Amino acid sequence: EVQLVESGGGLVQPGGSLRLSCAASGFPFRSYAMSWVRQAPGMGLEWVSTIGGSGSSTSYADSVKGRFTISRDNSKNTLFVQMTSLRAEDTAIYYCAKDLAGGSYNFDLWGRGTLVTVSS
Amino acid sequence: DIQMTQSPSFVSASVGDSVTMTCRASQGIHSWLAWYQKKPGKAPNLLIYAASTLQSGVPSRFSGSGSGTDFTLTISNLQPEDFATYYCQQANSFPITFGQGTRLEIK
């Protein structure tokens, strides 16, 4: 089955760290760029980060640059984001998303999301 | 950064109606625009990419048009399952940006 399954969300204190994972199945994972997109409570969608298929190229939103690190393990079909120095405004549902094709940066497959809550 | 502005923010319509919503980019993005449908508690669903290409499996009552800075999404013959929030997204350059959304509700 073609799917993405996120994990690793939870409650963390401001300034803390968290690592999210996204397990992919049903498609040639290494052939596609992957991204993280988040949605804060009551807000719209916000792109967070993208990584190329080989893992050598990455991009970040200014809001997370220097605090979040995206990576992937193509041998395990898994996408990661390491989040540090977390802030209240990072509270959101985090979705991993698959690129449609060829670096289109449109997202045709999404996970169900994992909730990150940053609060003391 | 390219800003995406959607209008209206909210629209009310009835089953069987047609609705059109717009998305404007702060600078030209050629046809690098996608539309997504988002329902509460569910992941976003890609409807349209490259401004006017219907994603596989999406009903033909959805259509997109535009290029450069101005884009539209039209939904014809609204069905109950279409009531949701719709987001546009530019893929022309990083940072990737979404519009703030248009919420479509049942009249």
Side-chain angles (χ1 to χ4, degrees):
Chain A
E1 182 183 0
V2 179
Q3 64 176 356
L4 299 170
V5 180
E6 302 95 338
S7 60
L11 175 64
V12 60
Q13 293 188 339
S17 299
L18 210 55
R19 188 196 199 201
L20 306 184
S21 301
C22 171
S25 59
F27 65 95
F29 181 69
R30 66 177 65 244
S31 296
Y32 293 91
M34 297 292 296
S35 299
W36 290 97
V37 176
R38 67 185 181 183
Q39 185 174 33
M43 303 294 285
L45 299 173
E46 180 188 15
W47 170 78
V48 173
S49 182
T50 293
I51 186 168
S54 68
S56 60
S57 65
T58 58
S59 295
Y60 296 92
D62 285 346
S63 58
V64 306
K65 197 173 294 181
R67 299 187 300 121
F68 289 14
T69 302
I70 191 171
S71 62
R72 63 192 296 161
D73 184 339
N74 286 342
S75 69
K76 296 182 178 179
N77 291 348
T78 305
L79 175 73
F80 304 99
V81 62
Q82 178 70 47
M83 306 185 295
T84 63
S85 302
L86 283 162
R87 307 165 180 167
E89 54 264 36
D90 295 317
T91 294
I93 297 172
Y94 285 74
Y95 298 97
C96 66
K98 168 188 166 291
D99 193 58
L100 174 63
S104 70
Y105 306 117
N106 296 146
F107 311 124
D108 69 332
L109 179 67
W110 298 67
R112 298 185 67 175
T114 187
L115 177 62
V116 172
T117 303
V118 183
S119 175
S120 55
Chain B
D1 298 2
I2 299 175
Q3 290 191 330
M4 307 301 293
T5 303
Q6 291 185 242
S7 60
S9 297
F10 173 88
V11 60
S12 180
S14 301
V15 172
D17 286 352
S18 291
V19 296
T20 296
M21 57 192 74
T22 67
C23 178
R24 175 165 289 175
S26 61
Q27 58 187 269
I29 59 169
H30 307 284
S31 295
W32 298 112
L33 184 99
W35 290 95
Y36 299 84
Q37 179 190 68
K38 178 71 170 68
K39 296 180 179 179
K42 295 204 168 184
N45 182 42
L46 177 65
L47 302 173
I48 301 280
Y49 63 93
S52 61
T53 303
L54 195 67
Q55 169 67 351
S56 175
V58 175
S60 59
R61 63 180 180 272
F62 291 89
S63 63
S65 65
S67 67
T69 60
D70 295 311
F71 302 87
T72 62
L73 173 70
T74 297
I75 312 171
S76 303
N77 187 23
L78 277 168
Q79 297 300 298
E81 60 268 29
D82 299 337
F83 294 93
T85 300
Y86 293 84
Y87 293 92
C88 63
Q89 174 237 326
Q90 67 83 14
N92 181 76
S93 61
F94 287 107
I96 293 167
T97 46
F98 289 88
Q100 83 280 11
T102 291
R103 184 177 174 188
L104 174 57
E105 290 203 344
I106 299 176
K107 184 181 289 183

